[in-house]
Amino acid sequence: LLIFNGSADAMAKIFERVGQNEDVYLCITFVIAFILCSGSMIIQKTKITKKEIVFGILIGIPNYFSARFLLKSLYSLPALIVYPSYSVFTILVVSFFGIFLFKEKISKKHIWIWIGFLLSLVLLNVK
């Protein structure tokens, strides 16, 4: 997962530098993800249910817009700011969904980690 996510982020920077159309990048990224997931399901002989299709759409829509906004931000901000901010806010959003949807417990350690994340973003933006 880390290799593929890192590769997708690297591709975003390459497309931003070369000036390709972001729709082409997004299409390639999502088609490759579809092929990899389909291949994995075929190998594991997994059947697709309506529930998986619904959750796939519910996750895919924000994922699409997240990738689109990431590309748009690379046009106006340095990658040094964009990628850490993107990663930190992704972790925070996933954490909050875990807390509110799945009733995960919050420890003092989690709170300190979130404070550290936010502080790191503030320090990144200090000139």
Side-chain angles (χ1 to χ4, degrees):
L1 180 63
L2 291 174
I3 291 170
F4 288 123
N5 191 29
S7 299
D9 288 345
M11 278 182 53
K13 188 63 181 172
I14 289 169
F15 273 90
E16 183 262 330
R17 287 278 184 219
V18 175
Q20 294 290 326
N21 186 339
E22 62 193 41
D23 292 328
V24 172
Y25 164 75
L26 292 172
C27 182
I28 291 169
T29 302
F30 280 92
V31 166
I32 290 172
F34 176 76
I35 291 168
L36 290 174
C37 289
S38 298
S40 174
M41 291 181 73
I42 290 169
I43 290 169
Q44 296 176 4
K45 298 178 181 168
T46 305
K47 294 184 181 182
I48 300 174
T49 64
K50 286 182 183 180
K51 181 180 176 182
E52 282 139 353
I53 292 171
V54 169
F55 278 114
I57 291 169
L58 290 175
I59 292 170
I61 291 170
N63 193 17
Y64 169 80
F65 285 106
S66 172
R68 180 168 288 283
F69 293 140
L70 173 67
L71 288 173
K72 289 203 178 294
S73 65
L74 286 171
Y75 288 123
S76 58
L77 296 169
L80 181 69
I81 301 296
V82 172
Y83 286 116
S85 300
Y86 177 77
S87 297
V88 166
F89 283 118
T90 299
I91 291 169
L92 291 174
V93 167
V94 169
S95 296
F96 287 127
F97 271 102
I99 291 165
F100 294 116
L101 291 179
F102 302 112
K103 309 295 186 223
E104 292 179 0
K105 301 287 184 203
I106 306 170
S107 69
K108 287 182 181 180
K109 183 179 178 181
H110 287 112
I111 293 171
W112 282 110
I113 290 170
W114 295 333
I115 290 170
F117 281 155
L118 295 173
L119 183 61
S120 68
L121 289 178
V122 169
L123 292 174
L124 260 176
N125 290 295
V126 173
K127 292 186 180 192

